Amino acid sequence: TDWTAVNEEPFLSTRYTIQDLSSGDKIHVRVKAVSASGASVPATLGQPVLIREILQLPRIRMPRHLRQTYVRRVGDAVNLMIPFQGKPKPEVIWTKVDQPLDTSRINIRNTERDTIFYIREAQRRDSGKYELAVRINGAEDKATLDIQVIEPPGPPQNLKLVDVWGFNVALEWTHPMDNGNSEIKGYTVQKSDKKSGKWFTVLERCTRTSCTISDLIIGNTYSFRVFAENACGLSEKAAVTSGVAHIKKTKTAYQPEKIPQRDMMEPPKFTQPLTDRTTTRGYSTHLFCCVRGFPQPKIIWMKNQMEIREDPKYIAMIEQGVCSLEIRKPNPFDGGIYTCKAVNPLGEASVDCKLDVKGKI
């Protein structure tokens, strides 16, 4: 029944630590508010407090795979067990952005040695940083769990058929409105001719929002569509061109009386340069550029300033001024700077691009 003040002077904080207590004792605690008029009626804890010694400080043993962002797909279950240590049994507290968890979606089960974090069907709103705190009588350890819930992206936007020339078509589009909560890795471009109605992939993992499709067949009419891709896979829907591309036969007329031969002579000039490409190991890729000149220039392909000679890995072609180099099933050693050089008696010109070959995911 004897009450002893543990602080000599009143203080303004609403938190206080009582120190130097003996392990095993049971104490009653009460608090009074003090003003210039005197002290209030005390507020007393309903039960006595048992003083327990911390036999082992709290420590969270976060598994290695949870120390980085934990990625799951929408609809997947999230079932994580995080062990910890501490004696006596620690208090376990989960929060998200300093707020308690939504228990209608997230289930937490604690034992003396671990805590289990469970979501039956993950949704994108479950993404974020969760903080775990383990406490024993003022001693505390904290850890952060970063969860990212992803799904396939939406389709690309504003797909346009920009130009049709020779056997070639130029396309442009913009990024999808929804990236599926994951970075867009690239785009897959497909073509379909009116005769068969079947879709064929012409480009995979295109990292730009434009492309040129070559080697189309004279007389065919083509439609095109583009899928977006993230870590979850391809978009469920594709952007489809509103118009079609009809590949017509190019007609040329030679009129020597109107076009003297000297006016036709022209040194090589590239009308469309090579573009940097990134491809995946084992997937054949093509490099394209366009050149004009008369007489028809001789085309020389080089890799890292070394001429590419008769190598079965490479297939070089030129049609209607479109120069192409196919690199069959490249590996990382095939990456580098590729140069296309055009030479005729009036001069020469060259264009470069960088090819990066990445390993398979």
Side-chain angles (χ1 to χ4, degrees), residues 31-99:
V31 179
K32 292 182 180 181
V34 180
S35 69
S37 302
S40 70
V41 174
T44 306
L45 286 177
Q47 299 293 331
V49 179
L50 173 62
I51 307 305
R52 297 182 296 173
E53 181 180 0
I54 300 178
L55 301 178
Q56 186 180 42
L57 289 173
R59 182 185 176 190
I60 299 171
R61 304 172 65 88
M62 182 66 77
R64 184 182 298 272
H65 71 283
L66 298 181
R67 296 175 190 173
Q68 55 190 3
T69 302
Y70 182 73
V71 180
R72 300 297 288 172
R73 297 190 178 196
V74 169
D76 286 353
V78 178
N79 190 6
L80 306 175
M81 184 182 72
I82 302 175
F84 55 79
Q85 62 187 32
K87 292 182 180 180
K89 181 180 178 180
E91 177 187 10
V92 179
I93 301 171
W94 281 93
T95 55
K96 181 182 182 183
V97 197
D98 297 327
Q99 298 295 321

Side-chain angles (χ1 to χ4, degrees), residues 5 42 85 87 105 110 126 135 141 165 197 248 279 285 332 339:
Q85 62 187 32
K87 292 182 180 180
R105 294 198 45 74
N110 302 319
D126 296 320
R135 298 174 183 169
D141 191 22
W165 76 99
K248 299 180 181 179
T279 188
T285 188
T339 303

Side-chain angles (χ1 to χ4, degrees), residues 10 16 74 79 98 104 134 153 165 168 208 225 257 270 286 347:
Y16 189 80
V74 169
N79 190 6
D98 297 327
S104 65
V134 177
W165 76 99
N168 314 288
R208 303 176 62 183
R225 68 183 184 183
E257 70 280 5
F270 284 92
H286 293 78

Side-chain angles (χ1 to χ4, degrees), residues 171-191:
L171 301 175
E172 287 184 357
W173 61 90
T174 58
H175 297 293
M177 295 180 63
D178 181 10
N179 66 359
N181 201 31
S182 178
E183 180 183 359
I184 298 296
K185 290 187 173 183
Y187 300 91
T188 294
V189 183
Q190 296 183 340
K191 68 179 180 181

